[in-house]
Amino acid sequence: MKKVFVVVIALLLGATGVQAQVYYSADFSAAEGYVNGPVVGQPAGATAQWINANPNVLTDDIVIENEQLVISDVSAGGRWVTLEIPTLQENFSVSFDWKFVGDAAGTMDVGICLSDSLNFELIDGNPVPNYNEQGTMIRTYAEGLIDVRDGDWAGGGEYKALAELNYQDGKNIHIRMEINPVEWIFDVYFQKEGDAEETMIAEEYGYRRLPTEETDGINALVIWDNAVAGTLGNTMIIDNFLVYGPETTSVSDWSLF
C-alpha cells in the first residue's frame, strides 16, 4: 500500500499534469517520522503532532504498528485523537483506508471527522471534542455497517447511507470524501477491496456543525474510538490519509510531515 500511496501523491502534485495540491498526507511510515508505539506525540519533528484530545481517557490503544494506525479496543472508554491541518476554506478532498480485524460478528464504534477545532469548546466550555461539535462525520457502528452523518449545521442531524457498506469481512475499504467548506456540504464514496469502481454512500450531506467565524473553514482531523464491552478484542486499521485540493487554494508555511 505504501508504494501505491506515494504514486498517488506524485500524481496529485502534478507528475502527469494533475494540479491538485496536497495539504496533508500520512502513510504512518518511518520515512515520515513515525515509530511503533502510541500515536500521540507523533510524528517526531512535525509541524503538527497527534494529541490526546480527551486527557481523561488514555489513548495508549491508538498506536502505530507496522507503518499503520491501529486502534485496538482493549479497555472501555471514549478516546479522541486530533491533528491540526491547514485551514481549508475552498473545496477539498480527503481519502483514507479502513480495515476491520476481528471476529466476523464483531463491531467497533470508530469515527473520522473533519472539523473546526474552535467548535470543541462551544457546547461545554472545554476543549474535549464532542460528537455534536464536529463538521463532517463518517463512522463504523454496532450493526457492522459504515454510515455518514447528515448534519443540520447546528449539532443535530442523523446518520444514514445511500448504500449498504459492511466492514466485518475484513476487506480493505477505500474512502473518498469531497468537502465543500463554502456551502458546508460533502459527498462520500467507497471502494471495497475487489470492487471494480466506487460507490456513493453520501451526497450533499450537511456538516453537523458550521465552522466558527474565526476559523471560517476546516482545520482539524479528528478520530474517535468509543470502546464498550461489545467491541473489546477488535481492531481497526487506518492508513493512507490524504488531504488535497485545487492548486488555487492558498496554504502557506506548512510542512507536510
Side-chain angles (χ1 to χ4, degrees):
M1 291 300 295
K2 305 302 178 185
K3 290 182 179 179
V4 173
F5 187 65
V6 170
V7 170
V8 169
I9 292 178
L11 292 175
L12 289 168
L13 285 174
T16 60
V18 178
Q19 295 301 312
Q21 180 176 347
V22 175
Y23 307 126
Y24 171 73
S25 66
D27 66 358
F28 305 107
S29 65
E32 293 176 352
Y34 286 96
V35 297
N36 286 345
V39 71
V40 170
Q42 296 203 56
T47 302
Q49 298 176 329
W50 292 90
I51 66 169
N52 178 359
N54 182 8
N56 295 321
V57 181
L58 294 177
T59 55
D60 292 350
D61 298 337
I62 305 178
V63 304
I64 302 301
E65 185 176 305
N66 298 324
E67 300 193 326
Q68 299 174 114
L69 181 65
V70 179
I71 301 174
S72 300
D73 281 359
V74 176
S75 58
R79 303 169 179 83
W80 294 81
V81 294
T82 65
L83 182 85
E84 176 191 358
I85 62 172
T87 300
L88 298 173
Q89 299 169 331
E90 298 181 23
N91 290 3
F92 67 99
S93 304
V94 178
S95 64
F96 56 90
D97 294 320
W98 247 345
K99 185 175 183 179
F100 174 75
V101 180
D103 186 90
T107 63
M108 293 187 76
D109 182 354
V110 172
I112 296 175
C113 316
L114 282 299
S115 301
D116 173 7
S117 62
L118 287 186
N119 275 331
F120 300 163
E121 298 190 37
L122 182 65
I123 303 302
D124 48 20
N126 69 61
V128 177
N130 208 332
Y131 300 105
N132 62 4
E133 297 171 333
Q134 303 301 314
T136 71
M137 306 177 75
I138 181 171
R139 66 169 186 173
T140 61
Y141 68 103
E143 282 73 13
L145 301 174
I146 293 176
D147 60 10
V148 183
R149 188 77 177 194
D150 187 4
D152 63 0
W153 302 282
E158 62 177 326
Y159 284 106
K160 57 185 184 179
L162 300 177
E164 185 171 288
L165 175 54
N166 187 288
Y167 62 84
Q168 293 169 306
D169 57 11
K171 293 184 178 180
N172 188 69
I173 302 170
H174 182 72
I175 300 290
R176 179 169 64 89
M177 306 174 71
E178 297 295 332
I179 300 174
N180 182 332
V182 177
E183 298 183 29
W184 309 302
I185 56 176
F186 66 108
D187 304 331
V188 182
Y189 302 82
F190 74 86
Q191 187 168 2
K192 184 181 279 192
E193 180 182 347
D195 290 353
E197 57 187 22
E198 289 183 323
T199 299
M200 176 177 275
I201 195 174
E203 183 176 17
E204 295 189 352
Y205 281 17
Y207 283 27
R208 186 158 185 175
R209 187 168 296 279
L210 295 180
T212 61
E213 290 185 4
E214 293 87 344
T215 302
D216 191 29
I218 294 296
N219 69 349
L221 174 60
V222 183
I223 300 175
W224 87 71
D225 174 35
N226 185 26
V228 297
T231 71
L232 299 184
N234 296 320
T235 295
M236 190 72 69
I237 297 173
I238 301 174
D239 205 359
N240 297 330
F241 267 115
L242 193 61
V243 181
Y244 57 98
E247 189 179 32
T248 55
T249 302
S250 176
V251 176
S252 60
D253 299 324
W254 185 265
S255 170
L256 285 177
F257 308 126

